[in-house]
Amino acid sequence: MTKYSILCLSLLATTCPVLHAESYNENSPDFNDNPSQLQSIPMLQSLKNLQTDKAYRAPHVQVLKNRNGVKTLFVESQDLPMVDIQLTFNAGSARDEEVGKGLFGVANMAARLIDEGTEKYNATEISSVFDQAGAQINIQAHRDMFVVRLRVLSDPKKLEPALSMMMEILKNATFKNTSISLALSNNQAGQKQLQENPSRLMSIRFYREIYGMHPYAEPITGTNGSIKKITPEILKTFRDQFLVAQNMNIAITGKLSPKDAQNLAERISGNLKQGEKAKALSEPAKKTGFDIVHIPYNSSQANVMFGHLGTTRNNSDRLALEVANRMFGGGGFNSVLMQELRVKRGYTYGAYSSFSFSQAPGTFSFSYGTRQDQLIDSIRVAHKAFSDFVRMPIDKKQMQETKAGMLRSFPNNYSSNANINAQLGLLGFYDQPADYLSQYQKLLEKITVDDVQNAVHKYMHPENMTVIIVNPQTDKDEIKAILESNLQTAPSKQIPATEAVPLAKPEVDVPVPTPSDKRASI
């Protein structure tokens, strides 16, 4: 090979880097799309088109047989020499009181401390094993699930020690008193920050009001009183009851063959205690009418949250409800709620709605912050917008635009191996079809105006709202009268806009002292 040939190859390597789905980004400063600076426009353009096409093609999900009966989903990805493993246990904070009455925060404490030491290894030694393997491990507790994520190179010399240590901490974590004491100390600082966060206080109170005595009611982190009751024995009981093979599903993505992935999954499931599946969660009680809840908070800013019970993740109307939510308040500036509260009136910087879909029925809610002197009118406008959205016919044009936007953004769910694996974990946990990602476009296209309208009427209820208000003082009777009046007023295509006012500026908030630990407080 001549020096000239070597030089040409070097230039080609410099100007035509290999592009992977995980790193490709037109907006990145490293991505050069200026024709005057490119050596071979046709070749680079073809690479760009190829990558774009790949980004919009859903990954092929394989359901692997597992001799231990543990559901295992796998996506093969040969682009990077990496493996992502996710173990998703039915062991979120909703299971706390199955360990002991009033023991809120057990799952979260277990997630925080499980890698702090075993009989064989201390926290430093555990961390060192993962560091030397170049591995990342992340363990979190949510309301529904307890998630263990491991990312490591596919090289067996790196994979094996990281995998062995993950299994070691899952089976043999000691949860020492010294670790619990440190967690309690850190929690005191966290509680102070919580009291200075009105949005967080509002969210916690919302869940308590919506769910009452249901397992979803209490915060994932527990309460001041409950976490002080947690002992190493309690955490070990939680581990032995819920962090077991028959109570989990496995997701694997990366540079492995299906056979290698199957062997890996069987090793994981076979080396854990088999145990039993967690029992089904109870149904939360539905509330009717208006429930106005006030949280005293010394600030010129007011925070407001509306909401009620929603439905489960496996509900056949879920996709139609996602469309409806995007139209009402989850779609940015084009959503009804943002148009009415910000664009037309300048009452807030942002107003958003969302559905949470879970094992037991989740929630539907929308929230925003505004100046105290705009609170009453903003409540009138926000609830009227919701009431009109439910009662008026769905706008077909807006629905089609919303569906198009959802379709464009959906590939973000599998834009990287880590994202793909997270999706596999959700599919396995909620027992959804393995081909959901590839079928999403067809499922979304099938959604009609009638589908959305029926779902809205069935699961969105302006007449049954819990309203949480965080501000210095509130007249509950006045607010209730406004909400009732909105229900009696005929829907209109546009709510008359008042004179535009400057957007509310964030204020420095001073919390009102809250009572000591009880069920209704943190």
Side-chain angles (χ1 to χ4, degrees):
M1 184 178 292
T2 66
K3 291 182 180 180
Y4 177 79
S5 300
I6 294 173
L7 177 61
C8 289
L9 288 174
S10 299
L11 287 172
L12 183 61
T14 302
T15 58
C16 303
V18 177
L19 303 177
H20 296 290
E22 292 186 273
S23 60
Y24 175 75
N25 180 0
E26 284 186 304
N27 298 318
S28 169
D30 298 327
F31 183 80
N32 189 345
D33 201 19
N34 186 343
S36 66
Q37 299 178 15
L38 299 181
Q39 301 295 318
S40 179
I41 296 172
M43 176 157 46
L44 286 174
Q45 189 62 42
S46 66
L47 285 173
K48 181 179 174 182
N49 291 339
L50 177 64
Q51 201 63 30
T52 301
D53 177 68
K54 182 176 179 180
Y56 278 84
R57 191 165 56 246
H60 173 58
V61 181
Q62 302 180 56
V63 181
L64 303 181
K65 292 183 179 179
N66 188 304
R67 61 187 174 187
N68 298 304
V70 176
K71 187 165 188 176
T72 304
L73 300 181
F74 170 62
V75 167
E76 183 175 356
S77 176
Q78 297 293 329
D79 291 340
L80 294 172
M82 303 289 297
V83 175
D84 285 276
I85 301 169
Q86 178 169 315
L87 312 181
T88 310
F89 297 89
N90 192 343
S93 65
R95 305 296 171 180
D96 287 346
E97 285 202 291
E98 294 183 38
V99 178
K101 186 67 175 175
L103 291 178
F104 311 114
V106 172
N108 181 69
M109 187 72 79
R112 290 174 63 183
L113 303 183
I114 199 167
D115 61 351
E116 288 292 309
T118 68
E119 292 294 343
K120 294 182 179 180
Y121 305 96
N122 59 35
T124 301
E125 291 168 333
I126 291 171
S127 177
S128 177
V129 169
F130 289 122
D131 288 344
Q132 290 177 16
Q136 298 175 350
I137 189 163
N138 180 271
I139 304 169
Q140 287 184 304
H142 307 276
R143 272 193 168 81
D144 266 353
M145 60 188 71
F146 186 104
V147 179
V148 180
R149 295 185 180 95
L150 178 67
R151 164 164 265 211
V152 64
L153 290 168
S154 56
D155 182 350
K157 293 181 181 179
K158 303 294 185 181
L159 174 60
E160 289 301 325
L163 181 65
S164 296
M165 184 54 73
M166 180 181 74
M167 301 308 298
E168 168 71 14
I169 63 177
L170 279 174
K171 293 190 296 181
N172 301 314
T174 52
F175 305 109
K176 293 180 179 178
N177 277 314
T178 52
S179 297
I180 295 176
S181 297
L182 181 59
L184 290 174
S185 177
N186 292 337
N187 182 70
Q188 293 177 356
Q191 288 295 318
K192 186 177 185 300
Q193 294 176 352
L194 171 63
Q195 298 301 331
E196 297 172 354
N197 188 334
S199 295
R200 180 73 178 120
L201 291 172
M202 180 172 66
S203 177
I204 290 172
R205 188 62 176 271
F206 175 74
Y207 268 84
R208 284 173 169 159
E209 294 296 330
I210 291 291
Y211 286 106
M213 301 301 293
H214 188 270
Y216 285 170
E218 290 302 313
I220 296 168
T221 53
T223 66
N224 282 333
S226 68
I227 61 175
K228 292 176 182 177
K229 301 174 186 177
I230 297 175
T231 65
E233 289 70 30
I234 287 172
L235 293 174
K236 289 176 184 177
T237 297
F238 172 84
R239 177 197 66 195
D240 294 341
Q241 182 176 348
F242 293 108
L243 303 186
V244 295
Q246 297 306 314
N247 195 41
M248 76 169 178
N249 69 83
I250 301 173
I252 302 174
T253 300
K255 193 172 183 179
L256 295 172
S257 68
K259 183 62 176 177
D260 289 339
Q262 179 181 346
N263 290 338
L264 180 61
E266 289 182 343
R267 286 174 56 196
I268 293 171
S269 58
N271 278 283
L272 282 177
K273 179 182 176 181
Q274 291 304 295
E276 298 178 353
K277 289 184 178 180
K279 64 183 181 182
L281 294 173
S282 61
E283 287 282 316
K286 292 183 179 180
K287 299 175 67 173
T288 58
F290 296 117
D291 181 16
I292 316 298
V293 179
H294 177 235
I295 301 177
Y297 203 93
N298 187 18
S299 170
S300 61
Q301 290 287 117
N303 287 270
V304 186
M305 178 177 253
F306 293 77
H308 54 62
L309 274 180
T311 186
T312 63
R313 188 176 180 87
N314 286 330
N315 192 301
S316 59
D317 290 321
R318 180 170 67 92
L319 194 52
L321 287 173
E322 289 180 0
V323 174
N325 176 66
R326 289 273 294 233
M327 294 174 68
F328 174 67
F333 279 92
N334 291 328
S335 67
V336 171
L337 194 61
M338 188 74 92
Q339 285 287 317
E340 295 296 337
L341 286 177
R342 173 167 178 162
V343 176
K344 293 182 182 179
R345 297 170 176 81
Y347 284 165
T348 183
Y349 279 103
Y352 309 96
S353 69
S354 65
F355 273 98
S356 67
F357 300 102
S358 42
Q359 290 185 93
T363 63
F364 168 74
S365 64
F366 54 95
S367 60
Y368 60 92
T370 189
R371 278 201 331 235
Q372 176 62 29
D373 60 347
Q374 299 170 337
L375 173 64
I376 297 301
D377 199 44
S378 73
I379 289 175
R380 177 187 67 81
V381 170
H383 181 257
K384 186 64 163 60
F386 180 48
S387 179
D388 286 357
F389 179 77
V390 172
R391 293 187 289 175
M392 289 173 57
I394 292 295
D395 186 318
K396 185 175 181 179
K397 181 181 178 182
Q398 186 191 7
M399 187 198 74
Q400 294 296 349
E401 291 173 349
T402 299
K403 287 169 59 176
M406 292 172 67
L407 188 60
R408 286 193 299 270
S409 64
F410 189 72
N412 291 329
N413 290 295
Y414 45 85
S415 59
S416 69
N417 285 2
N419 287 351
I420 291 171
N421 215 49
Q423 290 298 316
L424 299 188
L426 290 174
L427 294 178
F429 185 85
Y430 291 110
D431 200 27
Q432 294 180 267
D435 64 350
Y436 179 79
L437 297 179
S438 60
Q439 293 298 312
Y440 179 84
Q441 180 175 356
K442 294 179 181 178
L443 294 171
L444 188 60
E445 288 174 348
K446 289 180 181 178
I447 298 294
T448 66
V449 167
D450 287 342
D451 293 331
V452 176
Q453 193 82 71
N454 292 335
V456 165
H457 290 162
K458 193 173 181 180
Y459 296 104
M460 301 174 79
H461 304 290
E463 74 281 6
N464 298 325
M465 302 292 291
T466 293
V467 185
I468 312 293
I469 302 168
V470 185
N471 77 332
Q473 58 183 9
T474 291
D475 187 335
K476 295 183 182 181
D477 292 335
E478 179 184 11
I479 291 173
K480 187 174 182 180
I482 290 171
L483 303 182
E484 291 174 343
S485 175
N486 280 342
L487 296 179
Q488 297 167 6
T489 305
S492 56
K493 291 218 172 204
Q494 288 188 338
I495 303 172
T498 55
E499 183 178 352
V501 293
L503 290 175
K505 294 183 178 180
E507 301 284 341
V508 177
D509 297 326
V510 181
V512 175
T514 56
S516 58
D517 185 77
K518 296 179 182 179
R519 185 169 183 82
S521 66
I522 282 295

